[in-house]
Amino acid sequence: MKQIAGPPSEYSGIKWVETLYEFLELARKASDSFDYERALMHLDNLEQLWLTKGLPAFSPELRYDLHHEKGKVLSRLGRYAEAVAQYQQLLEYCQDKNLAPRRVEVFLEIGQLLAKTGELDRALGYVHRALAGNRRLNDPLGICKSLRNLGAIYIELGEFDDAEAAYEEGIGIALNNQLNLLHADLSNNLGTIKNIKGEWQAALECYKTARTTYESEGEVRKSAYTFNNIGITLMEQDDYEQAHQNYVAALRIADSIKDESLILILNINLTDLLLKIKNIPEARKYCLSAHQLIRNKGLKNSQLVETIKLAGKIALFEENYNEALARFNEARDLCEELGLQFLEAEILFEIGSLCQMTEQHMQALQILEQAFQLFHQLNVTGRLEKTRKLICSVEDLYLKVFEAMASQVDQKDPYTKGHSDRVANLALFIARKLGLSDHETKSIVAAGLLHDIGKLQVPDEILKKPGRLTPAEFDEIKKHPDTGIRILAGIKLPWEVIPLIRHHHEKFNGEGYPSGLSGDNIPIGARVICVADVFDALTSARPYRKAFDASKAIGIMEKEMIGSFDPVVLETLIELITIGEIDHIINRQTDADEMYKIWAQCRFTPNRVESLV
């Protein structure tokens, strides 16, 4: 406990001065005993006595200690806005250059409190000012504290790499300066990052390091926070029994020391755990308790978002789907308002799961892909895998639709089925080489698989004619893109396949069909399929001719079909041929399950997987 300075000697005979210092000492003793309400009562008495008796400003030091202690107590009680007001008053007493260390300390306190109220941008500003000030003062203790709080804000913002860098720098400084408690704090927080990234063993090692120090130093409150963190990591690994034991141990301590902030966190985490083991009545009890605590504090932060999200999951378990969606959307709106990217991704995942359960497959896939992109952007490996599996399960439903259509095509003309498979595969490689987005690539592959579906309604005598077609017969063939669109009219797909199928016979010079589009007016996916379509037709054997080899086919496309193709797309195909990347596709017989193999490549490209490791 900080040593309390005695009253200034020139006022030593004044009874009021001694009384004020006695109130301050009583408040500190009550705070050390976790009796924060009593501590606040003593501090209020001190301030009221000072004001009502019209006492002189005889001690700036006492005034500073009053507001500082009151800010700490209000913070422990979860009354963050009032705590910020106390610390703001402290800045008035720290204008002198000699008081720069205290001013820096106040910046840090305010930043920490603003983060708890969800004002993350303002919090970041105060903590950066504290960090800069501590660097100027060359204060290792202050630098470590600033880095600890900076990392916590970065976690809230979903900037996990920045948070990890802050914690690792702080750990290095703490070790070099034998700052054991701060080393434990930073290790504890680093464990949070490891847990989010799915590095669970590393997270547990961080928590073990922190807990050992806390126990040896008698830090009961911080030990409780570590029990909570261990519970989170165990829950991620589906060890719900051990996780529950850690949460209960932490809650027991939090109740004993009346730490409402930790009590709130544990109510939220216990709700989540109880939902996972399907104990809905108990989950609802803890969720309501968390909501009450948040409402009492008037908070609008990540904890409010978590509580609303959990309320939505409870409604989901109760099959109250409209209520669940309303809660998820409310939570998502808050995420966007507060800039909470990680939580937004988790809520998108929940909405996607809900859409899947209610058989809104197109919406499910679109929302889950948004979640996947956010998790990928945040480099959250564990969540990526979970989202990937759900995306795959939804996509498989659409592949079954493709398979049913493909079987009809195969029965009519086995060549057309194999051709569509090869076109989709070639288009996938071209799209990937062009660096198109995941959604664009999937749209192209899906359209490639279905681009000739309209040929189902072309008469066999035209479709399988061994010789050259007459103009009238060719006009009949030219109807197949629009026929394909009509066939797909009753099927809702999550990818933009319709314009690609309709325009895959347009030519770059505007001489194609059905609309005579040219240049960039032709969708990029249609331009890709056009190149893949013609190349596969030339390199495949037909009843009336042998297959051309790749170089001959490219020669025909470059010299005899000048102006037909997007030059960038054609050049990309030539590059793929040159490096031998598509040799395994050219003029090969496709398997019955070919489209599933193609789609497996489309889902997760090799370079993307490596970036996630």
Side-chain angles (χ1 to χ4, degrees):
M1 185 176 71
K2 179 180 175 182
Q3 184 66 39
I4 300 175
S9 58
E10 61 266 35
Y11 294 105
S12 57
I14 302 175
K15 182 179 179 182
W16 294 122
V17 179
E18 295 172 355
T19 303
L20 294 176
Y21 274 98
E22 285 173 7
F23 275 125
L24 181 60
E25 185 171 9
L26 288 170
R28 282 180 168 153
K29 286 179 179 179
S31 184
D32 287 345
S33 301
F34 310 112
D35 191 349
Y36 301 121
E37 293 289 356
R38 181 173 292 275
L40 189 60
M41 180 190 71
H42 289 312
L43 292 168
D44 283 340
N45 288 339
L46 188 162
E47 191 164 22
Q48 285 301 313
L49 183 62
W50 197 326
L51 294 173
T52 56
K53 297 300 181 182
L55 300 177
F58 50 79
S59 176
E61 177 72 22
L62 178 57
R63 174 66 75 175
Y64 181 93
D65 286 345
L66 165 63
H67 292 302
H68 193 263
E69 194 65 32
K70 200 168 184 179
K72 282 168 53 180
V73 170
L74 288 166
S75 175
R76 294 287 167 79
L77 288 170
R79 293 160 62 175
Y80 302 127
E82 295 173 71
V84 168
Q86 293 295 319
Y87 284 117
Q88 291 282 11
Q89 291 188 57
L90 289 179
L91 294 177
E92 300 175 15
Y93 301 95
C94 305
Q95 298 298 327
D96 192 283
K97 288 184 178 180
N98 295 327
L99 296 175
R102 286 195 172 184
R103 187 172 180 80
V104 168
E105 182 182 353
V106 173
F107 284 147
L108 191 57
E109 296 282 3
I110 293 173
Q112 187 175 9
L113 289 166
L114 288 171
K116 290 181 178 180
T117 63
E119 298 180 71
L120 298 179
D121 288 338
R122 287 184 66 202
L124 207 55
Y126 275 101
V127 174
H128 273 301
R129 291 170 76 180
L131 179 59
N134 281 310
R135 290 194 195 281
R136 285 194 301 271
L137 295 167
N138 195 26
D139 179 2
L141 180 66
I143 292 170
C144 285
K145 286 181 176 180
S146 301
L147 289 168
R148 178 186 63 191
N149 288 303
L150 189 62
I153 296 170
Y154 280 139
I155 289 176
E156 289 285 314
L157 290 168
E159 304 289 348
F160 300 124
D161 289 339
D162 288 338
E164 190 168 10
Y167 292 145
E168 287 177 344
E169 180 187 354
I171 285 171
I173 295 170
L175 280 172
N176 289 337
N177 291 274
Q178 297 182 325
L179 302 172
N180 295 335
L181 272 177
L182 269 171
H183 176 255
D185 290 347
L186 291 158
S187 296
N188 203 350
N189 292 355
L190 181 61
T192 301
I193 298 293
K194 299 296 185 185
N195 179 65
I196 290 171
K197 290 188 171 184
E199 300 171 22
W200 295 309
Q201 194 54 46
L204 289 173
E205 289 298 322
C206 288
Y207 297 145
K208 181 180 177 182
T209 297
R211 194 173 69 177
T212 300
T213 301
Y214 291 150
E215 289 176 352
S216 66
E217 297 285 342
E219 286 284 345
V220 176
R221 178 173 170 273
K222 290 184 176 182
S223 291
Y225 276 88
T226 310
F227 277 121
N228 171 70
N229 290 344
I230 292 170
I232 293 171
T233 303
L234 291 168
M235 196 165 72
E236 290 286 356
Q237 299 174 83
D238 300 332
D239 189 348
Y240 301 132
E241 184 177 348
Q242 290 293 321
H244 188 266
Q245 289 178 16
N246 277 272
Y247 285 151
V248 170
L251 187 57
R252 191 180 299 118
I253 297 171
D255 282 333
S256 70
I257 64 176
K258 300 178 182 178
D259 189 325
E260 291 200 5
S261 298
L262 182 55
I263 291 170
L264 171 58
I265 290 168
L266 287 161
N267 273 280
I268 291 170
N269 289 343
L270 279 163
T271 303
D272 195 18
L273 184 148
L274 290 161
L275 280 172
K276 290 183 186 302
I277 61 175
K278 298 181 173 57
N279 187 340
I280 309 307
E282 282 294 296
R284 188 187 297 104
K285 181 184 78 173
Y286 281 107
C287 189
L288 288 172
S289 178
H291 186 75
Q292 186 65 46
L293 284 165
I294 289 170
R295 189 168 59 184
N296 290 345
K297 296 175 182 179
L299 296 179
K300 191 177 184 181
N301 60 6
S302 61
Q303 292 168 332
L304 176 59
V305 174
E306 283 277 10
T307 305
I308 296 170
K309 180 189 79 173
L310 291 169
K313 291 179 75 170
I314 290 170
L316 192 60
F317 272 104
E318 295 172 337
E319 299 184 4
N320 189 344
Y321 300 129
N322 289 334
E323 174 68 16
L325 183 59
R327 296 288 72 75
F328 291 148
N329 283 331
E330 181 184 355
R332 185 184 178 187
D333 289 344
L334 271 171
C335 284
E336 291 178 351
E337 180 184 342
L338 298 172
L340 306 174
Q341 293 185 79
F342 177 67
L343 271 174
E344 183 180 359
E346 290 203 317
I347 291 159
L348 284 169
F349 179 86
E350 297 297 343
I351 296 173
S353 301
L354 171 58
C355 289
Q356 185 200 30
M357 290 173 65
T358 53
E359 299 186 351
Q360 301 174 74
H361 301 304
M362 183 169 69
Q363 294 91 326
L365 199 50
Q366 291 170 343
I367 290 166
L368 287 168
E369 285 183 342
Q370 290 179 53
F372 186 89
Q373 291 304 323
L374 261 178
F375 283 136
H376 180 264
Q377 178 183 321
L378 299 170
N379 194 25
V380 187
T381 309
R383 301 295 198 281
L384 274 171
E385 180 62 19
K386 184 178 178 183
T387 311
R388 183 190 70 81
K389 288 179 179 177
L390 192 53
I391 287 173
C392 290
S393 71
V394 178
E395 286 179 347
D396 284 344
L397 296 172
Y398 290 102
L399 289 179
K400 284 183 170 61
V401 174
F402 296 172
E403 185 178 42
M405 292 180 170
S407 67
Q408 296 177 49
V409 174
D410 204 14
Q411 289 170 19
K412 184 176 179 67
D413 182 7
Y415 164 78
T416 303
K417 162 68 166 60
H419 167 69
S420 292
D421 287 342
R422 288 189 298 272
V423 168
N425 213 347
L426 289 167
L428 166 62
F429 276 81
I430 294 170
R432 186 186 295 167
K433 196 74 174 176
L434 288 170
L436 300 182
S437 70
D438 284 352
H439 189 77
E440 286 176 306
T441 300
K442 287 178 180 178
S443 296
I444 290 168
V445 172
L449 291 169
L450 300 173
H451 78 285
D452 276 344
I453 197 72
K455 288 184 178 179
L456 281 171
Q457 295 184 15
V458 175
D460 283 355
E461 61 269 22
I462 297 175
L463 188 63
K464 299 178 182 179
K465 184 177 179 179
R468 184 179 295 275
L469 298 175
T470 66
E473 289 170 336
F474 187 55
D475 285 342
E476 193 66 31
I477 286 283
K478 287 164 66 175
K479 294 177 182 177
H480 80 271
D482 283 329
T483 303
I485 300 310
R486 287 197 297 273
I487 291 171
L488 295 172
I491 302 170
K492 290 185 177 180
L493 297 172
W495 307 287
E496 299 296 324
V497 301
I498 299 300
L500 309 194
I501 293 171
R502 187 165 196 273
H503 297 296
H504 75 275
H505 278 296
E506 306 286 359
K507 293 183 180 179
F508 205 67
N509 59 13
E511 296 178 2
Y513 63 88
S515 301
L517 300 181
S518 64
D520 291 342
N521 290 322
I522 307 169
I524 179 61
R527 284 178 263 156
V528 169
I529 293 171
C530 177
V531 168
D533 185 23
V534 173
F535 178 77
D536 184 72
L538 292 170
T539 54
S540 299
R542 300 299 284 139
Y544 51 87
R545 65 159 172 81
K546 293 181 179 180
F548 297 119
D549 63 26
S551 59
K552 173 68 172 175
I554 290 298
I556 293 170
M557 294 172 76
E558 286 187 308
K559 296 174 183 176
E560 298 180 26
M561 306 175 75
I562 295 173
S564 295
F565 311 108
D566 182 329
V568 174
V569 176
L570 182 57
E571 186 59 39
T572 302
L573 174 66
I574 293 169
E575 184 181 349
L576 289 167
I577 294 168
T578 302
I579 62 179
E581 198 164 338
I582 57 173
D583 288 350
H584 64 290
I585 302 172
I586 300 172
N587 193 23
R588 65 175 283 265
Q589 186 67 38
T590 61
D591 299 325
D593 63 346
E594 191 75 19
M595 67 172 57
Y596 289 94
K597 295 176 182 177
I598 295 167
W599 200 264
Q601 298 175 72
C602 178
R603 278 170 170 158
F604 305 100
T605 59
N607 62 316
R608 187 174 300 282
V609 172
E610 287 170 11
S611 72
L612 301 180
V613 173

